Amino acid sequence: MFDQIFGGNKTVANWAAAMSNYTVSERIAVQRKPKIASPEKSALKKQKTEKAQDQASAEPANFLRELIKKDLSKGGRIHDRVGRTGDVVRTRFPPEPNGYLHIGHAKSICLNFGFAAEFGGRCHLRFDDTNPASEKQEYIDAIRSDVKWLGFDWGEHNYYASSYFDQLYTWAEYLITEGKAYVDSQTKEEARINRGTVTKKGKNSPFRDRSVEENLKLFREMRDGKHPEGAHMLRAKIDMGSANMNMRDPGLYRVLHKEHPHTGNKWCIYPIYDFAHGQEDAIEGITHSFCTLEFDQHRPLYDWFLDNLPIPGKEKCRPIQTEFAKLVLKDVVLSKRNLKVCVENKVVTGWDDPRMPTLCGLRRRGIPPAAIRRFCEDIGVTRNFSVVDTAKLDDVVREELDVNCERRFAALSPIKVTITDLPADFRQELKADNHPKNPSMGSRPIIFTPTIYIDHGDFMFDPPADYFRLKPNGEAMLRTCGIIIKVNEVVQDPTTKAVVELKCTHEKAGNRKVAGHIGWVSADDCVFVTANVYEPLFKVGVVNHEEEADADAEAGAEGEEEDAAEDEEKKLASHDEARQKVLKMVNENSIRAHKAVVEKNLATAAPETSFQFERLGYFVVDKNSTPDNIVFNRTITLRASGPEKDTGRSRKAEQEEQMRLKKLLEDLPASEMFKIQKDKYSKFDADGIPTHDAKGTELSKGAIKKLKKEAEKQTKKLAAKK
């Protein structure tokens, strides 16, 4: 809003936005603050900086927490509530039941329920079910399940906007009788034109001056089902010349002949979200109404309704809306509309597909709810739009799983190993620790036999000199059993040349130390399973987060109003264009199913139980896994590089390799600099710029653009040397 008012002047706009959070007297006090002499000012600035740094290091920034503390302090807005048992503050989480919750919603859930617990209050779970055209009981049930899984409970405070429909209707008639609302009979196109633009004032509807009697008559006819969808809309009579588009006679009620999941067929008119939102907060006595930033320009309308409706008790405890920046994760699509495209077009198996950022998808992926709660606390709360690197979430997930997961041996792509100098009936029972750092988690028996399986990553035919696992005539230590095996013969498939078996001899390690240590699974004490390994659902670098945020901002009350009478043909064309755009962003290699082998004791592991498969990552038993079809989903790798990129080299060797590559690149022409990086790229254009990554996935336009800039720098660098 302030950007529009001040013509794009960011400095002035930011100042105005900040001032809007103060009362009139506070603004005057800020503007009249006396100037401080330079030395004193410097000392004070230093003192404030040090204090801010101390606070920042102590806990993540969270201006909402500070706001609540201020409101509860002596002289604060709700100081009189201090001491109430379980009702000091009231917050609410108000999802629209038109889809599944995703990790972006988790931030709001954790904030609202978390503040209620922290300050001795309560949080309401309220379904803002004002649009039956897109709402289902399925979504209501899923939302309840997700909130509980995340670790929160609303107790008896589960509410619905539809429970207040009678009261909202009464207040709508009140606005009509006060001359502050009218029934508008413009077509959708006429209303769009007369509404104006951000740079052009709107024009009054020709129906704006209807009499109170005529408006009441038409509105009651709308209620009684006497008019088709799109014929009329009840609007607030505010100001068509307002700089804020939301104040230009916004819609209050539209005709919708749709059955409602909660009220059935009682109503055929439904309130617009903006008309219901603030009044619901007031009815429920909400002390703090926290919304994401796209609602900041809706706040004047929120306040207008509270000012102009006879809401009981609003003078004593009036709800106040405060906006914060939503959670945006790098390269993760969080738009419900775009995620719905993936579901409807069978890109994924459903809303709970482990590749989806939905809470039920993350749950099926094996992400612990405690990790999500901690992540939401760690990233803090501000009013500034920002994109959070997914690596931050990954780190928290790894830390949480590392502490709580038992270890197991497994092989994603198994290679058979036969130890030829052991008797065929040899069996040795061993004890393996369930957790190397936590003895209280106990141990488990495993069987060592002459035939075992190792992972394909633990053998290389022609490895670099610093590779420490198995190779022809090479040796490595088998973990837990203290035995060193040496490769004497490599058996390959005659057609594909793939390695199918290693024939080895063994010796007890004794005091010998071997650089390479590998996991193994006994062929006589194992079970074959499906192990799903995931990559990002969308290509890296293709998600336009600002565009997604703009789409969300347009999908509020205005979206409901527009949808009420939108031309079906135009709507379908628009949806098809959006669908095609989303499908082009999809990573076609986002899942790989391995026929893996694991310890036999995992055959009875319960669904949603997580384990660390040593060296391979953290895996969870899929919720649909059965004894006849055991399925594991990889939650995350053990480190950011992932096991597929793990070459078996030491850290020192990796650093030396990086230095070697850096030195090699210094004198290479731009057309060749990327071609030597075969671990990163597989295809190139005529100028040597990569077009596909090492796995054959096409690079995004943004990624290619960055690589072109690197090539230009290299060309200039070489030219400067000459």
Side-chain angles (χ1 to χ4, degrees):
M1 176 176 70
F2 293 102
D3 282 350
Q4 298 165 9
I5 294 173
F6 294 105
N9 188 322
K10 293 288 184 182
T11 302
V12 178
N14 290 340
W15 172 85
M19 288 299 102
S20 69
N21 294 320
Y22 291 88
T23 62
V24 174
S25 59
E26 285 174 330
R27 291 179 206 173
I28 294 172
V30 169
Q31 293 170 31
R32 290 182 178 177
K33 191 172 182 180
K35 292 184 178 180
I36 302 173
S38 184
E40 185 182 353
K41 185 175 182 180
S42 299
L44 182 60
K45 184 177 180 181
K46 183 179 179 183
Q47 184 181 356
K48 286 183 176 179
T49 302
E50 290 174 351
K51 184 179 179 182
Q53 288 173 344
D54 290 341
Q55 290 175 341
S57 61
E59 61 179 20
N62 192 325
F63 78 97
L64 297 180
R65 178 178 283 115
E66 299 308 313
L67 175 66
I68 296 176
K69 288 179 180 178
K70 180 181 177 183
D71 288 345
L72 290 172
S73 64
K74 191 173 182 180
R77 184 171 64 89
I78 57 169
H79 176 68
D80 61 320
R81 298 178 70 95
V82 174
R84 292 191 183 189
T85 303
D87 195 21
V88 177
V89 298
R90 289 188 194 179
T91 58
R92 84 287 177 273
F93 174 59
E96 298 175 60
N98 59 0
Y100 284 73
L101 300 182
H102 54 60
I103 192 167
H105 295 107
K107 180 176 180 178
S108 181
I109 296 170
C110 291
L111 283 175
N112 285 290
F113 281 94
F115 286 146
E118 181 179 347
F119 293 100
R122 72 192 202 202
C123 181
H124 297 182
L125 175 62
R126 182 209 304 147
F127 292 101
D128 270 325
D129 53 346
T130 58
N131 187 6
S134 60
E135 294 159 1
K136 298 178 183 178
Q137 186 63 41
E138 170 193 350
Y139 300 141
I140 292 173
D141 295 339
I143 289 169
R144 283 200 190 104
S145 175
D146 287 341
V147 173
K148 285 202 169 184
W149 171 75
L150 206 50
F152 301 106
D153 191 355
W154 52 89
E156 61 185 14
H157 302 292
N158 184 188
Y159 303 105
Y160 294 84
S162 54
S163 298
Y164 311 130
F165 279 177
D166 289 306
Q167 180 62 75
L168 292 170
Y169 177 84
T170 300
W171 281 336
E173 285 206 351
Y174 172 84
L175 289 175
I176 293 174
T177 59
E178 291 292 304
K180 296 178 179 178
Y182 65 97
V183 174
D184 187 13
S185 303
Q186 294 181 97
T187 65
K188 182 208 166 201
E189 185 64 16
E190 290 169 344
R192 185 189 65 78
I193 293 171
N194 288 333
R195 193 169 184 236
T197 66
V198 293
T199 58
K200 183 181 178 182
K201 291 182 179 181
K203 295 180 181 178
N204 288 347
S205 164
F207 306 99
R208 199 173 194 263
D209 296 323
R210 275 174 166 158
S211 67
V212 170
E213 293 74 21
E214 185 180 3
N215 281 318
L216 280 175
K217 176 178 177 292
L218 284 170
F219 187 48
R220 288 168 182 170
E221 287 177 355
M222 290 165 61
R223 176 199 63 191
D224 295 338
K226 295 181 178 180
H227 296 283
E229 294 182 8
H232 305 291
M233 176 171 287
L234 182 68
R235 295 185 179 276
K237 189 184 291 186
I238 305 181
D239 180 9
M240 289 299 292
S242 174
N244 186 336
M245 298 281 286
N246 295 293
M247 300 298 283
R248 296 183 186 178
D249 290 9
L252 305 183
Y253 268 89
R254 78 284 206 201
V255 178
L256 273 179
H257 296 285
K258 300 282 192 304
E259 183 176 357
H260 192 283
H262 195 226
T263 61
N265 292 306
K266 178 180 178 181
W267 297 91
C268 54
I269 57 170
Y270 292 94
I272 298 294
Y273 175 84
D274 270 344
F275 181 58
H277 178 58
Q279 286 67 269
E280 294 159 11
D281 286 345
I283 291 170
E284 294 177 15
I286 300 300
T287 61
H288 296 86
S289 177
F290 298 136
C291 302
T292 45
L293 279 178
E294 64 264 29
F295 290 98
D296 63 346
Q297 293 190 46
H298 294 250
R299 191 190 335 134
L301 182 56
Y302 180 100
D303 291 335
W304 188 90
F305 288 133
L306 293 176
D307 289 338
N308 289 277
L309 289 171
I311 302 172
K314 67 178 181 180
E315 294 80 11
K316 188 175 181 181
C317 184
R318 175 184 171 125
I320 293 179
Q321 177 178 302
T322 308
E323 304 84 22
F324 64 92
K326 64 167 59 180
L327 171 59
V328 180
L329 279 174
K330 185 179 179 182
D331 295 320
V332 177
V333 168
L334 294 179
S335 164
K336 281 185 184 178
R337 294 179 180 183
N338 292 344
L339 293 177
K340 191 175 181 181
V341 168
C342 294
V343 175
E344 291 178 344
N345 288 273
K346 310 296 183 185
V347 172
V348 292
T349 56
W351 288 97
D352 66 347
D353 188 294
R355 292 166 289 176
M356 292 280 276
T358 52
L359 291 183
C360 54
L362 296 175
R363 178 178 183 176
R364 192 171 176 185
R365 179 83 172 247
I367 304 292
I372 296 176
R373 294 195 301 269
R374 190 178 130 203
F375 170 69
C376 289
E377 179 65 27
D378 286 352
I379 60 176
V381 184
T382 70
R383 279 185 55 86
N384 301 317
F385 174 84
S386 62
V387 179
V388 179
D389 196 324
T390 50
K392 291 186 178 181
L393 175 60
D394 293 345
D395 288 343
V396 176
V397 171
R398 286 190 184 95
E399 289 173 14
E400 192 70 28
L401 291 172
D402 178 56
V403 172
N404 296 295
C405 285
E406 292 188 1
R407 275 50 172 172
R408 294 292 187 270
F409 289 136
L412 284 184
S413 299
I415 295 177
K416 181 181 177 182
V417 174
T418 302
I419 304 173
T420 57
D421 57 349
L422 281 175
D425 59 351
F426 178 85
R427 288 175 65 86
Q428 181 182 4
E429 184 171 312
L430 306 167
K431 278 192 175 182
D433 292 334
N434 286 331
H435 199 296
K437 302 173 187 176
N438 188 355
S440 66
M441 295 180 75
S443 61
R444 66 193 187 281
I446 58 174
I447 306 298
F448 178 61
T449 57
T451 305
I452 61 175
Y453 291 105
I454 65 169
D455 191 73
H456 80 289
D458 289 328
F459 174 81
M460 287 185 71
F461 238 124
D462 187 22
D466 51 10
Y467 183 82
F468 298 121
R469 297 174 204 156
L470 290 176
K471 56 188 175 182
N473 298 313
E475 58 184 18
M477 175 87 74
L478 296 180
R479 300 193 63 180
T480 303
C481 64
I483 286 178
I484 298 171
I485 60 171
K486 181 179 180 180
V487 179
N488 299 308
E489 182 183 349
V490 180
V491 181
Q492 296 176 273
D493 183 284
T495 304
T496 65
K497 301 301 180 182
V499 176
V500 294
E501 184 181 4
L502 301 177
K503 293 186 177 181
C504 305
T505 52
H506 85 289
E507 66 174 282
K508 291 186 178 180
N511 294 324
R512 276 192 65 194
K513 291 185 178 180
V514 180
H517 291 239
I518 62 175
W520 55 276
V521 180
S522 168
D524 296 338
D525 192 40
C526 70
V527 60
F528 280 88
V529 303
T530 298
N532 295 317
V533 173
Y534 302 104
E535 298 294 339
L537 180 57
F538 293 91
K539 297 172 185 174
V540 174
V542 302
V543 182
N544 187 326
H545 295 293
E546 291 189 3
E547 189 177 282
E548 273 209 313
D550 291 342
D552 286 340
E554 293 169 2
E558 179 184 346
E560 284 185 329
E561 184 175 326
E562 296 290 337
D563 286 346
E566 189 173 354
D567 180 80
E568 192 65 27
E569 187 175 337
K570 288 183 179 179
K571 186 190 293 188
L572 289 172
S574 174
H575 286 184
D576 186 61
E577 183 181 346
R579 183 179 68 86
Q580 294 297 336
K581 186 175 182 180
V582 173
L583 294 178
K584 285 181 181 179
M585 295 161 57
V586 170
N587 173 16
E588 295 177 356
N589 301 306
S590 60
I591 180 172
R592 297 191 310 280
H594 293 263
K595 186 179 181 182
V597 62
V598 300
E599 295 179 29
K600 194 172 184 178
N601 55 64
L602 290 176
T604 56
E608 299 191 1
T609 305
S610 293
F611 298 90
Q612 185 196 102
F613 289 176
E614 297 203 19
R615 280 198 54 255
L616 299 175
Y618 294 98
F619 287 75
V620 66
V621 184
D622 188 77
K623 70 172 189 175
N624 295 328
S625 181
T626 66
D628 296 329
N629 182 28
I630 303 172
V631 178
F632 281 87
N633 300 322
R634 187 166 74 181
T635 306
I636 197 166
T637 58
L638 296 185
R639 54 181 179 174
S641 61
E644 287 86 351
K645 297 180 183 179
D646 188 353
T647 61
R649 299 171 182 169
S650 66
R651 185 176 178 182
K652 182 180 177 181
E654 289 285 1
Q655 291 172 341
E656 290 175 351
E657 174 64 17
Q658 289 173 9
M659 290 298 294
R660 185 189 69 80
L661 180 61
K662 185 177 180 181
K663 190 173 181 179
L664 185 63
L665 288 173
E666 286 180 359
D667 299 316
L668 275 180
S671 59
E672 299 296 327
M673 64 181 291
F674 298 113
K675 290 181 179 179
I676 65 168
Q677 302 178 53
K678 295 180 180 179
D679 60 327
K680 292 184 178 180
Y681 312 112
S682 59
K683 292 183 181 180
F684 309 85
D685 65 14
D687 297 321
I689 305 299
T691 57
H692 294 71
D693 66 16
K695 296 176 183 177
T697 303
E698 186 177 357
L699 298 177
S700 68
K701 290 182 180 178
I704 293 174
K705 188 176 180 181
K706 288 181 181 178
L707 293 171
K708 285 182 177 178
K709 287 184 178 180
E710 286 184 37
E712 289 172 5
K713 286 182 181 179
Q714 182 76 352
T715 301
K716 289 179 181 178
K717 188 177 176 182
L718 293 176
K721 281 186 177 182
K722 295 178 182 178

